[in-house]
Amino acid sequence: MGEPGDRPADAANAFETVSGTGTETAPENRTADAYEHPSGTETATATAGAFEHASASETADAFDAESAKELSPEAVDVYGRVTRHEPIDPGRDARALGELRRWGLVITDPHLPHLPIALDPQEAGRRRLDEELRRMAARAALAARIPQLTDELGLHFERAKWRSGRGSEFLGEAELVNARIEQAVGRARAELLTAQPGGPRTGAQRAAAEERDGAALARGVHVRSLYLDTGRDDATTRAFVRAMTGRGAQFRTQVTQFQRCVVIDRRQAFISDHVVNSAPGHASWHVRDRAVVAFIAEVFEECWRRADPWHGDPHSESPRSAGPDGTRTTLLQREILRDMARGIEQRLTAQRLGIGLRSLSKEVRALRQLFGASTLQELTYQWALSDERLIDDRPPHPGRASA
C-alpha cells in the first residue's frame, strides 16, 4: 500500500482517460484541472467537452420536478467528499451523484463511477442560473398567454354547452327558431301557451300563426295567448284574435311588460335569450328541463291571472281594471302614476309598458285633467292623496279566491 498522498493506479488511469493525456497528475491538482480555464491543453478541452456532454444529455432534463429542488444535504456532503478525494460508493451515493450531475457539479467516467471529478461550483451556478432565468421567462410568456388562450377555448366550450345536452339549446338563427317552434307546436297534444310582448303582427305572420294554432286547436289542444294592451290598437292583431277566438283559443292583454315565451304541453318551452350578449333579438333558447319548463309555465300563469280577457275588440274608454266603486283611472294610468311617483323617466315608463311616448303623453294629459293638476308635480301630489293609489293590481295568490 502507498502513502495516503499517493494515488492508486486505477485512479490515475481513470483521470488519464478523462484528460486524454498519458501523463500522471497529482491528486491535489485533480479537482483544479477539471475546471481550470481552458488554456489550450488537452486536459482542459476534454474536461470542457465532458461538461458540455453532461449539459446536453444528463442536464437536458435538468428542469424536471426533481431538478427544480435545491441540492439535498446528502448531495452537498458527497460533493465535499469528492473534492477531498474521499471514497464514493456509486450504489449508496447514486441519488446524490445524480443531483450533482444535474447541477453540473461533477462528471464521472462510466468505467470508473467511483471516481467522480468535481467541477467549479461558480461556473455551474452561472449555467444553472441562466437556465432557470430562461425557464422563468418561458413560464412568464406562457402565463401571459393563458388568459387569451382560455378565452379562445372558452368560447368553443360555451358554444358546445349551448348546443348539447338535454337541458337547453341556444338557437341563434331566425329560420331555425321558427322551424323548431313549428315542429314542437305541430306535436302538441294538450296545451299551448304563448306570450307575445312584441309589436303588431304582419299579414304573413298572422297567416302562419293562424294555420299553426288552428291545426293545434283542431287536434284538441287548449291554446292561450297573452299580448300587451297596446295590441288592441292594431287592426291586424284584432282580426287574428277574433278569428282564433271563434275557433276556441283564449286571449288576454296586460298593460305592463312581460317576457316572451312559448310553452308546449309543459314539457318544452322557447324563451328569449338573456345569456349571449352579442346574439340578435330573435335568438331563443329551446328548454327541455321539466323543472325549468314548469317554472316558465307558472310565470305565464301569473301574468295570465292579472291580464284582461280579450276577444278582439278595440280599446274601450272605460276603465277595465277591477277596482272599488267609483274608480276613475285605468290600470295603464295607474302604472304611469306609480312610475311618476317613483321619479322614473317617462321614456323608461313608455318602454316598460310597451307604448310610445306620444301615447303616454296623451294619458298624462288625461290624468292632469282628471285630477285638475296644472303641472306634473301637482299631478303626482294629487295622486299621492288619492284613494286609488291603494288599489291592489297584483295578481291573486294561486289557490285563493279573488274578489
Side-chain angles (χ1 to χ4, degrees):
M1 296 181 60
E3 295 296 325
D6 294 339
R7 183 181 58 177
D10 58 347
N13 293 337
F15 188 70
E16 289 165 4
T17 302
V18 173
S19 65
T21 66
T23 306
E24 184 172 326
T25 306
E28 56 268 25
N29 295 331
R30 178 168 170 264
T31 301
D33 290 344
Y35 60 79
E36 184 177 10
H37 189 276
S39 59
T41 65
E42 294 183 26
T43 300
T45 302
T47 303
F51 184 86
E52 291 170 0
H53 175 73
S55 298
S57 59
E58 294 191 36
T59 62
D61 59 346
F63 303 109
D64 56 12
E66 188 69 24
S67 64
K69 302 176 183 178
E70 294 185 7
L71 278 176
S72 66
E74 294 78 10
V76 174
D77 176 69
V78 169
Y79 183 80
R81 287 158 52 196
V82 170
T83 61
R84 294 190 300 270
H85 320 303
E86 296 178 3
I88 301 298
D89 187 336
R92 184 185 61 199
D93 300 323
R95 183 179 180 86
L97 287 171
E99 291 185 54
L100 295 174
R101 283 194 295 269
R102 285 192 293 270
W103 276 75
L105 290 168
V106 299
I107 56 174
T108 56
D109 187 328
H111 301 290
L112 298 170
H114 61 288
L115 294 175
I117 300 174
L119 302 177
D120 183 0
Q122 297 298 328
E123 179 65 22
R126 284 191 293 269
R127 290 176 180 269
R128 182 60 181 264
L129 179 59
D130 289 342
E131 293 291 344
E132 290 291 346
L133 290 176
R134 283 193 291 270
R135 186 182 185 189
M136 290 172 60
R139 286 186 171 180
L142 174 61
R145 168 70 174 154
I146 286 175
Q148 180 182 356
L149 180 62
T150 54
D151 286 346
E152 294 175 1
L153 298 178
L155 181 60
H156 296 288
F157 181 72
E158 291 300 324
R159 285 176 176 171
K161 289 199 301 183
W162 298 339
R163 292 168 171 81
S164 62
R166 297 177 57 85
S168 59
E169 179 182 5
F170 176 72
L171 307 175
E173 296 76 19
E175 296 78 7
L176 180 58
V177 174
N178 294 331
R180 193 68 64 84
I181 292 177
E182 292 286 342
Q183 181 184 42
V185 173
R187 296 176 179 176
R189 291 293 176 265
E191 184 182 51
L192 172 61
L193 311 175
T194 63
Q196 303 290 346
R201 294 176 182 268
T202 64
Q205 290 174 332
R206 174 197 166 181
E210 191 168 346
E211 180 181 358
R212 180 195 67 196
D213 295 355
L217 288 166
R219 296 194 306 272
V221 177
H222 183 46
V223 178
R224 286 186 288 162
S225 299
L226 185 65
Y227 289 89
L228 278 175
D229 191 70
T230 52
R232 295 173 180 254
D233 295 326
D234 180 64
T236 300
T237 305
R238 290 201 304 267
F240 170 75
V241 171
R242 284 195 299 268
M244 299 307 295
T245 299
R247 300 171 69 172
Q250 297 181 30
F251 297 88
R252 291 191 181 186
T253 62
Q254 180 174 300
V255 172
T256 56
Q257 188 65 255
F258 51 86
Q259 292 296 320
R260 177 169 62 100
C261 71
V262 177
V263 183
I264 301 97
D265 292 340
R266 308 211 174 207
R267 293 180 175 272
Q268 54 183 321
F270 296 85
I271 58 176
S272 300
D273 170 63
H274 297 283
V275 177
V276 186
N277 296 328
S278 59
H282 57 255
S284 299
W285 286 82
H286 187 184
V287 183
R288 298 182 181 87
D289 185 282
R290 293 292 295 276
V292 177
V293 172
F295 179 82
I296 297 169
E298 183 55 33
V299 171
F300 175 90
E301 294 290 357
E302 182 177 346
C303 293
W304 184 262
R305 286 189 290 269
R306 71 182 303 175
D308 298 313
W310 187 32
H311 304 287
D313 50 300
H315 262 133
S316 173
E317 296 300 327
S318 60
R320 294 186 302 277
S321 57
D325 293 340
T327 298
R328 299 181 299 169
T329 58
T330 66
L331 176 58
L332 174 62
Q333 290 173 338
R334 289 195 294 277
E335 290 288 345
I336 294 174
L337 288 168
R338 288 170 184 139
D339 278 7
M340 289 179 59
R342 297 187 186 101
I344 298 176
E345 296 181 21
Q346 291 187 358
R347 173 181 58 83
L348 298 178
T349 299
Q351 182 178 358
R352 181 176 72 86
L353 299 177
I355 61 177
L357 279 174
R358 182 174 300 179
S359 298
L360 187 140
S361 299
K362 180 181 177 181
E363 295 291 344
V364 171
R365 285 196 299 270
L367 287 168
R368 287 172 57 184
Q369 183 178 2
L370 179 65
F371 284 93
S374 58
T375 64
L376 294 180
Q377 290 78 6
E378 185 179 355
L379 174 60
T380 304
Y381 176 74
Q382 292 294 339
W383 164 251
L385 299 177
S386 172
D387 291 338
E388 295 193 22
R389 67 181 174 82
L390 302 176
I391 296 176
D392 188 359
D393 291 318
R394 293 174 300 177
H397 191 279
R400 296 179 183 177
S402 58

